[in-house]
Every structure is written in structure tokens, then in C-alpha cells.
């Protein structure tokens, strides 16, 4: 399952530093958002989610921020590790529908 | 839990041949989705089943593509005849009642030559 490949925006981060991955979503009616991580040869894996009535949610080493005013979502990874190297996708779910709209993805490279 | 299981992991076929991709959703999940991932278009929803019934197949590219879900534990995506532009990674995902967040399988990488 190689993810969308050669033309992805890439973020290179030094091991131990914090990473911030950004996503602009498209629909102001979206009420639920997910960040997925896709490693080479695997399917997308759920990381963290947030509903539109929140602006911040924290997990283990990850934080998602939601700014509905500008339709922006970000994923913060604290103390980035080599195992965090992957492609990260945001996905939005429009209220009242079952469909998710996936972003194009950002490749995170962790430098040793 | 074994997760969503897809087979085969890789498929190489000649143009014009029939291809069948298989998916076993997580037990107890009643929503199933087929996605296609390409470099140019990213992740695209092809079809969505709920309780084994196709709810939305508007993402199916054309009549060459068909999907079935004969029971709660099995689904197939068939391409007949296959074309080189069908080359992609095909993912199956499942959830409970289209609840928040899917679980994806590992995908089938299809190459049509």
C-alpha cells in the first residue's frame, strides 16, 4: 500500500523535535475530523479525531487543533521519533453524510 | 482482532483480464467501504455498503467495476475487463454503523500491464 507518492509535500524534522502538520479542509459543514497515518505498505491508521464543537484534543504525544474560522486543522507530534515517519492525511466528514473527504497528505521524514 | 483482511496483497494482471479483490471486514462491523488510492487522485471512495446493501456506488468509475457483499463477513470488488489505468492500491475499510472513523485493511496493489 504505497501511499500517494512522489509529489507529496514533505516535512523533515530532527528526531526529538516537535512536528506540526497542517491541513486545510474544504467544507464548512464538516463536523468531524480525523488524522490518519499511513506507513509504507500499509493502510491508513487512525491517530486522533476531533469534533467541530472542540478546538483542541490531545492524545499520547499528539495534539489536534481545529480552527473553524479559517477551516484549518493541524496535527502536532511531540518528541518526534523515527517510527513517526509516514504520510499523514487529514479527513473531514460532512455533517449528515457518511463520506469522508481525504486531504492529499504530507510526508513526514524524521532525521536521526 | 485480526483487523480488516484483504487479499491478495499484490496482483499483476494483463489488460483485459478479470480481477477480483477480496475483503473480510472486522467482525461486528456493518459498514464497509472500498477505496482506491493513486498518486494523482489520492484516496477515492468507490462504494459504500451498510448491512450488506450497497448504499452509494457513485464513486465506481464505470461499468467495468462491480462490488458485492454476499454476507456480513465478505466483500469483493471486481474489474472486468481490467485496463492499465486501473493500476492503484485498493483499500477496504469497515466500521460500526458508519460510526466515527474507519479501520482500513492493508490494501491490494493492482498492476495492470
Amino acid at each position: 500500500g504505497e501511499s500517494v507518492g512522489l509529489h507529496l509535500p514533505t516535512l523533515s524534522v530532527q528526531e526529538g523535535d516537535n512536528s506540526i502538520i497542517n491541513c486545510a479542509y474544504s467544507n464548512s459543514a464538516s463536523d468531524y475530523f480525523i488524522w490518519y497515518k499511513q506507513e509504507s505498505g500499509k493502510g491508513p491508521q487512525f491517530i486522533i479525531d476531533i469534533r467541530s464543537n472542540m478546538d483542541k484534543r490531545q492524545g499520547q504525544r499528539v495534539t489536534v487543533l481545529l480552527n473553524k474560522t479559517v477551516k484549518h486543522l493541524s496535527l502536532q507530534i511531540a518528541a518526534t521519533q523515527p517510527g513517526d515517519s509516514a504520510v499523514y492525511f487529514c479527513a473531514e466528514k460532512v455533517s449528515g453524510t457518511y463520506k469522508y473527504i481525504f486531504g492529499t497528505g504530507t510526508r513526514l521524514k524524521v532525521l536521526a | 482482532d485480526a483487523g480488516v483482511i484483504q487479499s491478495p496483497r499484490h496482483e499483476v494482471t494483463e489488460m483485459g483480464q478479470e480481477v477480483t479483490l477480496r475483503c473480510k471486514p472486522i467482525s461486528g462491523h456493518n459498514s464497509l467501504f472500498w477505496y482506491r488510492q493513486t498518486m494523482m487522485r489520492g484516496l477515492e471512495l468507490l462504494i459504500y455498503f451498510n448491512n450488506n446493501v450497497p448504499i452509494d456506488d457513485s464513486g465506481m468509475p464505470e461499468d467495468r467495476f462491480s462490488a458485492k457483499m454476499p454476507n456480513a463477513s465478505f466483500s469483493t470488488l471486481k474489474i472486468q475487463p481490467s485496463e492499465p489505468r486501473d493500476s492503484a492500491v485498493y483499500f477496504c475499510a469497515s466500521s460500526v454503523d458508519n460510526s466515527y472513523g474507519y479501520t482500513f485493511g492493508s490494501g491490494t496493489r493492482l498492476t495492470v500491464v
Side-chain angles (χ1 to χ4, degrees):
Chain A
E2 291 293 327
S3 62
V4 180
L6 300 176
H7 305 294
L8 282 178
T10 298
L11 174 66
S12 296
V13 175
Q14 206 68 35
E15 182 179 356
D17 287 352
N18 298 334
S19 302
I20 300 177
I21 301 171
N22 296 305
C23 176
Y25 64 91
S26 59
N27 197 319
S28 57
S30 294
D31 62 355
Y32 178 68
F33 306 86
I34 302 176
W35 279 100
Y36 282 94
K37 172 186 181 183
Q38 188 174 21
E39 297 174 278
S40 181
K42 298 183 179 179
Q45 178 186 6
F46 176 98
I47 303 174
I48 191 168
D49 60 355
I50 188 167
R51 297 174 192 261
S52 59
N53 61 353
M54 305 170 69
D55 53 21
K56 180 179 180 179
R57 187 153 190 246
Q58 288 185 290
Q60 189 175 18
R61 280 202 311 117
V62 294
T63 300
V64 55
L65 299 178
L66 175 63
N67 185 331
K68 294 183 289 294
T69 303
V70 295
K71 293 191 288 186
H72 183 267
L73 201 64
S74 69
L75 176 70
Q76 300 178 359
I77 304 173
T80 312
Q81 302 169 358
D84 296 326
S85 293
V87 176
Y88 290 81
F89 294 94
C90 65
E92 60 180 300
K93 183 173 179 290
V94 178
S95 176
T97 74
Y98 54 82
K99 289 185 179 180
Y100 287 86
I101 303 169
F102 285 84
T104 53
T106 297
R107 185 180 301 282
L108 176 65
K109 287 188 177 179
V110 181
L111 308 173
Chain B
D1 190 340
V4 176
I5 300 172
Q6 292 186 246
S7 64
R9 285 301 310 273
H10 302 275
E11 177 79 38
V12 180
T13 191
E14 292 185 346
M15 183 174 61
Q17 295 298 305
E18 177 180 296
V19 175
T20 299
L21 312 182
R22 298 173 178 79
C23 175
K24 177 178 168 56
I26 291 174
S27 177
H29 284 193
N30 63 347
S31 291
L32 184 139
F33 306 82
W34 281 99
Y35 277 84
R36 177 171 67 177
Q37 187 176 44
T38 61
M39 289 171 58
M40 295 302 296
R41 301 172 69 91
L43 275 163
E44 302 174 277
L45 177 64
L46 299 177
I47 188 168
Y48 159 52
F49 290 89
N50 185 255
N51 293 322
N52 313 337
V53 176
I55 302 300
D56 183 353
D57 65 355
S58 59
M60 297 285 264
E62 47 199 272
D63 292 345
R64 297 184 299 106
F65 284 68
S66 62
K68 293 182 180 179
M69 193 164 185
N71 57 61
S73 59
F74 184 64
S75 177
T76 59
L77 177 67
K78 185 179 292 186
I79 308 172
Q80 165 64 16
S82 57
E83 297 182 2
R85 61 192 168 116
D86 301 330
S87 297
V89 181
Y90 291 81
F91 287 104
C92 176
S94 70
S95 68
V96 176
D97 274 334
N98 182 34
S99 63
Y100 297 95
Y102 310 151
T103 300
F104 281 85
S106 296
T108 295
R109 174 176 288 279
L110 173 65
T111 303
V112 183
V113 298

